[in-house]
Amino acid sequence: MDIQLDPARDDLPLMANTSHILVKHYVLDLDVDFESQVIEGTIVLFLEDGNRFKKQNSSIEEACQSESNKACKFGMPEPCHISVTNARTFSSEMDYNDFAICSKGEKDTPDKDGNHDNQEHASGISSSKYCCDTGNRGSEDFVLVLDCCDLSVLKVEEVDVAAVPGMEKFTRSPKLTVVSEELRNQIVRELVTLPADCWREQLDYYACCSQAPGCGELLFDTDSWSLQIRKTGAQTATDFPHAIRIWYKTKPEGRSVTWTSDQSDRPCVYTVGSPINNRALFPCQEPPVAMSTWQATVRAAASYVVLMSGENFAKPTQLWEGCSSWYYYVTMPMPASTFTIAVGCWTEMKLETCSSNDLATERPLSPSEADFRHVGVCSHMEYPCRFQNASAAAQEIIPYRVFAPVCLKGACQETLLRLIPPCLSAAHSVLGTHPFSRLDVLIVPANFPSLGMARPSKDKTGHTSNSGASVIKQGLNPEKIFMQVHYLKGYFLLRFLAKRFGDETYFSFLRKFVHTFHGQLILSQDFLQMLLENIPEEKRLELSVENIYQDWLESSGIPKPLQRERRAEAECGLARQVRAEVTKWIQVNRRPRKRKRRVKEEVFEKLLPDQLVLLLEHLLEQKTLSPRTLQSLQRTYHLHDQDAEVRHRWCELIVKHKFTKAYNSVERFLQEDQAMGVYLYGELMVSEDARQQQLARRCFERTKEQMDRSSAQVVAEMLF
């Protein structure tokens, strides 16, 4: 099954056999080691086979619904509640009594040679020793295939969930006298289908089961893109163990996370928008159809903060001197690619003064907003949904935290912290109920690849096999993240539709769309079809899904509707003001350096950032601009203090006209805005100016170790 791909040319495979079996929940228990740049620990997978994908009515659900307080009361034993206990302390040799008291034991360690990899000496098998059938054909064993890359898998074992006290409630037997594979799988089936209002008890049981002893190692093998697991004699997904524990560690070169330094030059690590998503962070099912929940315990040195895309505001728990533990969870099923983690020496930023407006989180709904917030049955799979909670629906500003290196405290206090409440309020006003209960904002280092994330979706993948495996076309092409035409076209399409139908009609539809499809996977055609169905015929003006696809998605170049819009916008007041300023600058540039008589100095208007971008774009069309003109431009608009979009156009002017006095601005941009700087490297090299090419190579040498891998690869090909 080994697939060797050229990452500069070939497609990205999605190997997981999601048509046969699905991961419903992940429990991660991890240690972060900055010295070795490795994340190590265990992940427990709770599975549901293809015969059980549809929601079942179980005796457990009936029991929960009968409770007067609408919560499950299974009599959970105290030692099994979520704790900081290291899940790796439970080995397959421990007996049930050891587990019941949750005692702490020895950590799994590598052998004397440090051998902990996925080769034959670690797993006990190789791919040549068995037939990797991912389905059920004859007498061959069923194989669970997970997406996996750049990981060292150490051991895989079945988890004895029947050893957890109280698990008899998930069976029809008052006592678990005879434990079989079928009984363990039955327990997991009942656990993963608990009703949404039992989510706290469900998380508790997941945590306890993840710490249960193993009941037999499983055979496994890895290739470049997958981890394959089987149990001898389990010939179908139904027979395969439904709870398994994988012991593994990441590799420093793994492409799902970046080990780097923050703006204060302190070490940090975080998930990036990698083409391979999270498969180099933990074994998972990559296809978006594999919607799952998760909970994670992460340990790091006490000086570090651990942030994750969980639903709770985690606080550190001190385990021993110098080490803290953080716990996060998610109850909304989502694709594994949405899992994020960031660990660094960050500080939580807070406003020094807080007005009453900053604290307001709820307000009465206007009639136009309330009309779509009807109480009804959601269309997504069951989870604790905020759309069914009247208080959550009225929550305009959800709780949030802001983290950043301490050196950015001033900027956060001055700008960012004051922007978040109005942004959250605007999102609530336009889209309705916030789908998540809280928000963490992190100021990431300069090497974050911010130009887009190559996430798999149904319409990006190629042929899908019967097992659910597929490929993402050009998914490993490092240049792909810099070709964002489809994102730009999508943005302008939404703007075009809003103008065509009017803001009130369009935003009302957006709220209805979010309410209808929240918690679900959707395609572009779902959005367009619903939009046109909800727009009065007299406003559609012959628009259809087919002609929108033809004009905006299937045709190259700028769509005709957008061309007409651009011509119309050229006549707006802000654009006319910019053109007037461009004329002034052209006149200034034409004046001789030494003037015989005093000429009245031009008075330039103050421009908005978007106007500055347009001004600089117009000036880029000029064949020559003198150093005097460029210096006056910089001084007039304080260009070195503007945002990245403005400074990028300014750097283009510097490069085009070889304005050597401002080369330091180009160097600063290449170091502080690395993702956008990729284009600038190309312009420096195309100029064929020796000094500019030397500048490009010098900046690349300084930053290449911190740069995103795809960016570094693209730039290296330009320079050498």
Side-chain angles (χ1 to χ4, degrees):
M1 293 183 66
D2 198 30
I3 302 175
Q4 297 298 328
L5 298 178
D6 182 349
R9 183 185 66 240
D10 293 315
D11 301 335
L12 173 64
L14 301 178
M15 304 295 290
N17 52 341
T18 53
S19 294
H20 299 144
I21 195 165
L22 285 178
V23 178
K24 302 300 291 183
H25 189 78
Y26 299 92
V27 180
L28 297 99
D29 190 88
L30 304 173
D31 288 287
V32 180
D33 186 349
F34 279 91
E35 185 174 347
S36 62
Q37 295 191 343
V38 164
I39 299 174
E40 182 177 6
T42 65
I43 182 170
V44 176
L45 280 57
F46 295 86
L47 305 164
E48 187 174 49
D49 61 82
N51 296 329
R52 309 284 297 202
F53 285 171
K54 294 184 179 180
K55 187 177 180 298
Q56 305 167 357
N57 293 322
S58 67
S59 58
I60 299 299
E61 180 176 354
E62 295 171 0
C64 290
Q65 291 174 344
S66 67
E67 295 288 347
S68 58
N69 61 0
K70 295 185 178 179
C72 296
K73 297 182 178 179
F74 290 136
M76 287 292 296
E78 283 300 318
C80 282
H81 278 290
I82 298 166
S83 65
V84 297
T85 305
N86 188 338
R88 289 175 295 141
T89 63
F90 298 101
S91 69
S92 57
E93 286 77 30
M94 292 177 63
D95 61 30
Y96 295 172
N97 292 330
D98 291 330
F99 169 72
I101 61 173
C102 291
S103 61
K104 189 176 181 70
E106 297 290 331
K107 291 181 67 173
D108 179 54
T109 56
D111 62 26
K112 63 181 180 180
D113 298 319
N115 292 326
H116 253 345
D117 57 23
N118 52 23
Q119 303 303 318
E120 182 171 345
H121 66 269
S123 65
I125 62 169
S126 68
S127 58
S128 62
K129 289 191 176 183
Y130 68 93
C131 176
C132 266
D133 176 36
T134 62
N136 176 27
R137 297 184 309 203
S139 61
E140 296 169 348
D141 291 331
F142 171 81
V143 178
L144 169 65
V145 182
L146 300 172
D147 293 298
C148 174
C149 177
D150 300 332
L151 292 177
S152 293
V153 179
L154 315 178
K155 183 172 70 173
V156 182
E157 65 181 357
E158 181 179 359
V159 178
D160 189 2
V161 295
V164 177
M167 298 308 284
E168 63 273 5
K169 295 183 180 291
F170 292 94
T171 71
R172 295 177 178 85
S173 303
K175 293 183 179 180
L176 300 181
T177 53
V178 179
V179 177
S180 64
E181 187 73 70
E182 182 180 356
L183 182 63
R184 283 190 286 264
N185 286 354
Q186 179 189 342
I187 290 173
V188 176
R189 291 188 190 107
E190 298 292 346
L191 176 57
V192 300
T193 55
L194 279 176
D197 54 8
C198 298
W199 65 271
R200 292 185 185 276
E201 286 75 17
Q202 187 180 44
L203 287 177
D204 281 344
Y205 272 111
Y206 279 139
C208 289
C209 289
S210 72
Q211 297 178 8
C215 54
E217 292 195 25
L218 301 176
L219 302 174
F220 72 91
D221 192 23
T222 62
D223 57 33
S224 298
W225 295 105
S226 69
L227 166 63
Q228 306 129 36
I229 305 169
R230 76 177 178 106
K231 179 176 181 178
T232 303
Q235 297 181 11
T236 68
T238 304
D239 301 330
F240 188 81
H242 283 28
I244 63 171
R245 182 185 294 117
I246 302 171
W247 309 62
Y248 76 98
K249 60 182 178 180
T250 65
K251 297 180 180 179
E253 66 272 17
R255 288 167 283 174
S256 291
V257 297
T258 290
W259 300 86
T260 185
S261 298
D262 64 17
Q263 294 87 336
S264 294
D265 203 31
R266 299 290 300 273
C268 63
V269 61
Y270 59 89
T271 43
V272 293
S274 169
I276 66 168
N277 292 328
N278 286 322
R279 67 182 72 184
L281 178 58
F282 60 92
C284 58
Q285 291 183 327
E286 273 290 310
V289 68
M291 306 270 277
S292 58
T293 53
W294 58 263
Q295 61 197 98
T297 299
V298 179
R299 287 168 296 279
S303 57
Y304 288 91
V305 172
V306 177
L307 302 175
M308 301 183 75
S309 50
E311 297 172 5
N312 58 310
F313 277 133
K315 299 288 186 181
T317 300
Q318 184 173 345
L319 300 182
W320 54 83
E321 186 176 356
C323 182
S324 294
S325 172
W326 301 70
Y327 171 76
Y328 288 91
Y329 63 82
V330 158
T331 61
M332 177 192 296
M334 289 184 290
S337 59
T338 62
F339 178 98
T340 60
I341 183 172
V343 185
C345 300
W346 298 303
T347 301
E348 183 177 357
M349 304 294 173
K350 298 181 180 180
L351 281 172
E352 293 179 354
T353 59
C354 186
S355 68
S356 58
N357 291 334
D358 296 327
L359 297 175
T361 59
E362 295 186 10
R363 62 175 174 80
L365 301 180
S366 66
S368 62
E369 292 175 312
D371 58 1
F372 68 93
R373 288 193 177 93
H374 57 276
V375 176
V377 178
C378 295
S379 300
H380 54 68
M381 64 180 71
E382 191 178 13
Y383 66 84
C385 180
R386 287 171 53 82
F387 284 75
Q388 297 297 313
N389 185 312
S391 177
Q395 194 172 24
E396 184 179 357
I397 302 173
I398 57 175
Y400 63 90
R401 302 184 298 186
V402 176
F403 292 87
V406 68
C407 66
L408 298 179
K409 182 177 181 179
C412 289
Q413 290 278 354
E414 182 180 346
T415 305
L416 181 60
L417 288 171
R418 301 182 186 277
L419 282 176
I420 294 178
C423 287
L424 289 172
S425 178
H428 182 270
S429 175
V430 173
L431 300 176
T433 306
H434 291 289
F436 302 105
S437 58
R438 62 111 195 172
L439 174 70
D440 274 344
V441 177
L442 171 65
I443 308 301
V444 294
N447 64 347
F448 187 81
S450 56
L451 289 180
M453 303 183 183
R455 298 304 193 192
S457 62
K458 293 180 182 178
D459 55 349
K460 283 186 182 178
T461 57
H463 172 71
T464 301
S465 70
N466 291 334
S467 70
S470 61
V471 296
I472 302 175
K473 295 296 184 182
Q474 291 295 304
L476 292 175
N477 186 340
E479 297 180 3
K480 183 178 179 181
I481 63 173
F482 305 106
M483 303 174 185
Q484 303 298 309
V485 176
H486 51 296
Y487 289 143
L488 293 174
K489 276 190 172 182
Y491 164 75
F492 284 110
L493 172 58
L494 295 179
R495 281 192 51 185
F496 164 76
L497 294 172
K499 288 190 174 183
R500 170 67 67 90
F501 303 134
D503 286 351
E504 184 177 353
T505 299
Y506 183 66
F507 290 154
S508 177
F509 159 74
L510 281 184
R511 289 192 292 271
K512 184 176 181 180
F513 178 80
V514 170
H515 187 275
T516 302
F517 286 104
H518 68 275
Q520 301 175 67
L521 294 175
I522 55 115
L523 300 176
S524 300
Q525 52 261 43
D526 298 327
F527 175 86
L528 295 173
Q529 189 65 48
M530 183 176 176
L531 172 64
L532 296 179
E533 289 174 354
N534 282 267
I535 298 299
E537 189 171 350
E538 63 271 14
K539 287 190 175 184
R540 292 185 207 166
L541 302 177
E542 299 181 351
L543 276 180
S544 67
V545 175
E546 291 73 22
N547 59 36
I548 291 176
Y549 264 60
Q550 175 64 35
D551 291 343
W552 290 86
L553 301 180
E554 297 173 357
S555 301
S556 60
I558 300 176
K560 292 180 181 179
L562 186 55
Q563 294 179 22
R564 292 192 292 268
E565 181 182 312
R566 289 181 65 186
R567 288 193 292 268
E569 287 185 347
E571 302 305 318
C572 76
L574 292 176
R576 287 197 300 270
Q577 185 182 15
V578 171
R579 286 200 302 274
E581 298 304 295
V582 171
T583 301
K584 293 179 187 177
W585 282 109
I586 292 175
Q587 292 172 349
V588 168
N589 189 59
R590 288 173 179 170
R591 290 173 185 167
R593 184 176 181 83
K594 295 182 179 180
R595 289 172 284 185
K596 295 181 179 180
R597 58 187 177 87
R598 186 176 181 84
V599 180
K600 182 180 178 181
E601 293 290 334
E602 291 284 359
V603 177
F604 297 101
E605 299 292 332
K606 186 176 181 179
L607 300 179
L608 299 170
D610 285 347
Q611 289 181 297
L612 277 177
V613 171
L614 185 58
L615 171 75
L616 297 177
E617 286 179 346
H618 281 305
L619 293 178
L620 276 167
E621 297 172 0
Q622 298 299 307
K623 187 174 182 179
T624 58
L625 291 177
S626 68
R628 175 173 49 86
T629 301
L630 293 169
Q631 191 165 357
S632 182
L633 261 174
Q634 183 180 28
R635 184 173 58 250
T636 300
Y637 300 115
H638 305 283
L639 294 176
H640 57 281
D641 293 329
Q642 297 292 338
D643 63 31
E645 291 285 352
V646 175
R647 288 188 288 111
H648 186 272
R649 302 309 193 284
W650 170 232
C651 288
E652 288 182 281
L653 276 174
I654 295 170
V655 172
K656 177 176 180 178
H657 300 291
K658 299 179 173 61
F659 185 35
T660 56
K661 288 185 178 180
Y663 277 2
N664 61 328
S665 294
V666 178
E667 291 194 43
R668 175 195 166 197
F669 191 90
L670 293 177
Q671 294 179 61
E672 296 182 4
D673 301 274
Q674 294 176 15
M676 295 182 68
V678 171
Y679 298 101
L680 211 54
Y681 277 109
E683 293 172 33
L684 287 166
M685 298 306 294
V686 168
S687 70
E688 297 185 352
D689 178 86
R691 185 171 177 181
Q692 289 190 359
Q693 292 182 345
Q694 184 181 15
L695 184 155
R697 294 190 176 100
R698 183 170 66 249
C699 288
F700 182 64
E701 285 300 315
R702 291 176 185 167
T703 60
K704 65 181 181 181
E705 296 302 324
Q706 290 79 39
M707 287 180 73
D708 163 67
R709 285 190 183 87
S710 295
S711 302
Q713 184 175 341
V714 171
V715 172
E717 291 175 356
M718 295 179 186
L719 302 186
F720 307 107

